[in-house]
Amino acid sequence: MQQPTQDSESFWRQQGQCLQWIKPYTRVKNTRFTTPVHIAWYEDGTLNASVNCIDRHLPQHADRIAYILENDDGTRIEHITYQQLHDHVCRMANVLKQLGVGKGDRVVIYLPMIPAAVYAMLACARIGAVHSVVFAGFSAESLGGRIQDCGARLVITADAAWRAGRMLDIKAAVDTAVADVSSVEAVLVVDNGGADRITPTPRDQFYTRLSQQASSHCAPTEMQAEDPLFILYTSGSTGKPKGILHTTGGYMVYAASSFQTVFDYQPADIYWCTADVGWITGHTYGVYGVLANAATAVLFEGVPTYPDASRCWQMIDRHQVTIFYTAPTAIRALMREGDIHLVSSTRQSLRLLGSVGEPINTDAWQWYHDKVGLGQCPIVDTWWQTETGGILISPPPVQGKQKPGAAAKPLFDLQPVLLHTDGTVIEGAGTGNLCLADSWPGQARTIYGDHARFEETYFKAFPGYYFSGDGARRDADGDYWITGRVDDVLNVAGHRLGTAEIETVLDSVAHVVECAVVGVPHAIKGQGIYVFVTLLAGVEATETIRESLIQTVRTRIGAIATPDAIQFCVGLPKTRSGKIMRRILRKIAAGELDSLGDISTLADPSVVDAIIAGRVVV
């Protein structure tokens, strides 16, 4: 096993005390990054995640607001106290037990951003079941694959989801997904206003009826620190989605510690993370890290542009939000709509802004800082992954000189390193593969049911290191700048070019709202550079603008980065969570139109046809 430094051992031993343990741990760390890879933290301690999120706060904070709920159309605002959260979670836990769910059973949760999603997660944690939340925008086929892979015994869904005033029949997707999955014994249906529009199946159980007879007391199950807490699936460019498994003790320590450290949460704060619980950001910084700190958070079922692009800013005023954490994609989308949507709010309550999910371009950072935060709020531009469990690199949450677009410094005692492709370490300033030289408590333990794939994906390329799959640049001050996925690094005539670097340059050009750069096969250079560009509404795509984009790239990066094709688009293919589907863009650019794969998870699938129609042949 790797031997931690004494300082690291002492630090994480102390950090572990941020939780309430049933049986205190004596051993802090037991990890190895070489085959066979082994990761364990606090392994001889026992605890319960639900207790650490709710019960331990009740003696002093039973009446504190845990969540402020606002529904899709804004007609319902609800305040849920920690005592009410406890009662709801216990009732849900007792319903799960009544349906035969017990410790170690897998439960798939396919719900919109409603309180029941949080209740379901914590109810599973309370009785020792392993939850796997699937974003409720995924297709029936994608959902079914995840249900089958983890062997779920129960699926929890709703009779409807609401998005921008439209009712979505997510129950129908579940019915299709479970049709041929023998492991699923029941589907638990939560009432969300669409009960009269569904057709019950023999497996259906209805939560409203069952919960009315359920007790608001449920004794928590004692869990080993290394017992699984949840499985969360991540999609890759090839192969089936990976079921990333996180365990209870280390994950909860890291979620609680990193939330407090990065966001500098204070008891008077109102925190809003816009991420859906179907993603890791929603898990760590929407539920577990938030509640472990007895925080108050906003839970929003809707979208930031409905009924118009002022929705987020008005909600910040309405709920006096002090900390706002969102994605660059959302920031750019709102920036595109114009500053006019800011004037109906003051946003004076804000003291800290956060960014998550991808590198943020300079223009979006500046608009976020100057216009949304009125120049008064520092931005924590956070880097982390589903596999890391929590934020690893982030600027400090204090006002001062910041570098727009820089993830900045590692948290705690973490040891990021940059490696050349041959595995040699890059000292000082330089660009390379971003790896971690040592473990941390929130690190994923394995891929569910496939530890060999876990080792192959994250530890084979650079033995002795965790390989993030991202590239990064470290400047002379030791600050890290994420350059994008390594598989998004282009090799143009023997030169390695990061797509994020080119995108940052293009995003700085007037009239450009958003862009995406992908590689395309090139007979001479190996890979060519294909650019998809969305312009401001009302701006006509002209040859003059095209030439200005090309010249800007040549000037800012060099002739080697000259785009081979620029295609103007009315929009880019995105999931309903706002993530650009670069896989689809790569296929279109390469002319591989027969293998685009599942596009049902896109917010607007019609943009794919429009992009195909305007494709440029390189």
Side-chain angles (χ1 to χ4, degrees), residues 258-266 269-273 313 316 320-326 347-355 365 368-369 372-382 391 394-400 402:
S258 58
F259 175 80
Q260 176 61 53
T261 299
V262 172
F263 299 106
D264 184 33
Y265 186 84
Q266 304 299 321
D269 279 323
I270 305 296
Y271 166 85
W272 183 12
C273 168
W313 319 133
I316 286 171
Q320 289 296 284
V321 172
T322 57
I323 305 170
F324 184 63
Y325 191 37
T326 194
R347 305 172 307 289
Q348 291 287 347
S349 60
L350 288 172
R351 71 171 183 85
L352 183 68
L353 299 172
S355 173
W365 190 100
Y368 195 31
H369 179 269
V372 176
L374 306 171
Q376 303 299 311
C377 302
I379 296 176
V380 287
D381 181 13
T382 61
I391 296 164
S394 173
V398 293
Q399 189 70 283
Q402 290 193 291

Side-chain angles (χ1 to χ4, degrees), residues 193-211:
D196 59 337
R197 308 186 193 187
I198 68 170
T199 302
T201 74
R203 276 193 273 205
D204 290 350
Q205 299 286 338
F206 291 90
Y207 181 69
T208 298
R209 179 178 60 81
L210 295 175
S211 64

Side-chain angles (χ1 to χ4, degrees), residues 229-480:
L229 178 60
F230 65 85
I231 299 166
L232 190 57
Y233 284 87
T234 65
S235 299
S237 56
T238 60
K240 69 178 184 179
K242 305 182 293 287
I244 303 301
L245 186 143
H246 283 282
T247 54
T248 305
Y251 171 81
M252 285 299 300
V253 168
Y254 201 81
S257 298
S258 58
F259 175 80
Q260 176 61 53
T261 299
V262 172
F263 299 106
D264 184 33
Y265 186 84
Q266 304 299 321
D269 279 323
I270 305 296
Y271 166 85
W272 183 12
C273 168
T274 66
D276 191 282
V277 292
W279 313 110
I280 188 64
T281 303
H283 277 53
T284 306
Y285 302 116
V287 180
Y288 288 112
V290 174
L291 299 178
N293 282 279
T296 298
V298 172
L299 189 67
F300 178 43
E301 185 185 3
V303 296
T305 54
Y306 178 77
D308 58 46
S310 65
R311 181 70 180 273
C312 283
W313 319 133
Q314 292 175 355
M315 284 181 61
I316 286 171
D317 279 10
R318 184 156 49 247
H319 305 302
Q320 289 296 284
V321 172
T322 57
I323 305 170
F324 184 63
Y325 191 37
T326 194
T329 298
I331 296 166
R332 289 192 295 266
L334 293 168
M335 180 175 70
R336 180 188 184 186
E337 296 296 324
D339 295 353
I340 187 65
H341 294 286
L342 292 167
V343 299
S344 62
S345 63
T346 69
R347 305 172 307 289
Q348 291 287 347
S349 60
L350 288 172
R351 71 171 183 85
L352 183 68
L353 299 172
S355 173
V356 61
E358 60 179 305
I360 185 171
N361 56 296
T362 303
D363 282 359
W365 190 100
Q366 210 68 58
W367 184 82
Y368 195 31
H369 179 269
D370 296 347
K371 298 298 181 67
V372 176
L374 306 171
Q376 303 299 311
C377 302
I379 296 176
V380 287
D381 181 13
T382 61
W383 176 79
W384 59 298
Q385 305 171 309
T386 302
E387 297 87 344
T388 72
I391 296 164
L392 299 191
I393 304 177
S394 173
V398 293
Q399 189 70 283
K401 184 173 175 58
Q402 290 193 291
K403 298 177 182 179
K409 297 289 197 301
L411 269 60
F412 309 127
D413 68 340
L414 300 179
Q415 299 177 39
V417 295
L418 296 181
L419 300 179
H420 289 294
T421 304
D422 64 5
T424 56
V425 175
I426 299 170
E427 303 289 352
T431 301
N433 299 286
L434 180 56
C435 300
L436 277 295
D438 202 2
S439 184
W440 61 99
Q443 186 174 19
R445 301 311 195 245
T446 191
I447 292 173
Y448 182 74
D450 197 347
H451 194 67
R453 188 182 181 193
F454 182 68
E455 294 180 336
E456 172 82 18
T457 303
Y458 304 106
F459 300 93
K460 183 178 180 181
F462 302 103
Y465 296 92
Y466 166 80
F467 175 39
S468 70
D470 280 344
R473 173 171 63 87
R474 186 172 53 227
D475 65 22
D477 298 324
D479 288 324
Y480 287 84

Side-chain angles (χ1 to χ4, degrees), residues 92-93 95-97 99 101 106-112 114-124 127 129-136 143 147 152-159 170-171 174 178 184 186-191 204-207:
M92 176 75 81
V95 168
L96 297 187
K97 290 200 295 185
L99 295 176
V101 176
R106 276 79 61 208
V107 175
V108 165
I109 300 170
Y110 188 73
L111 286 167
I114 58 177
V118 177
Y119 304 157
M121 292 170 69
L122 294 172
C124 288
I127 65 175
V130 183
H131 65 70
S132 184
V133 183
V134 178
F135 174 59
L143 172 62
I147 294 170
R153 187 169 188 174
L154 176 75
V155 176
I156 304 175
T157 190
D159 52 28
I170 63 172
K171 174 59 166 54
V174 173
V178 303
V184 176
V187 173
L188 183 61
V189 184
V190 174
D191 180 9
D204 290 350
Q205 299 286 338
F206 291 90
Y207 181 69

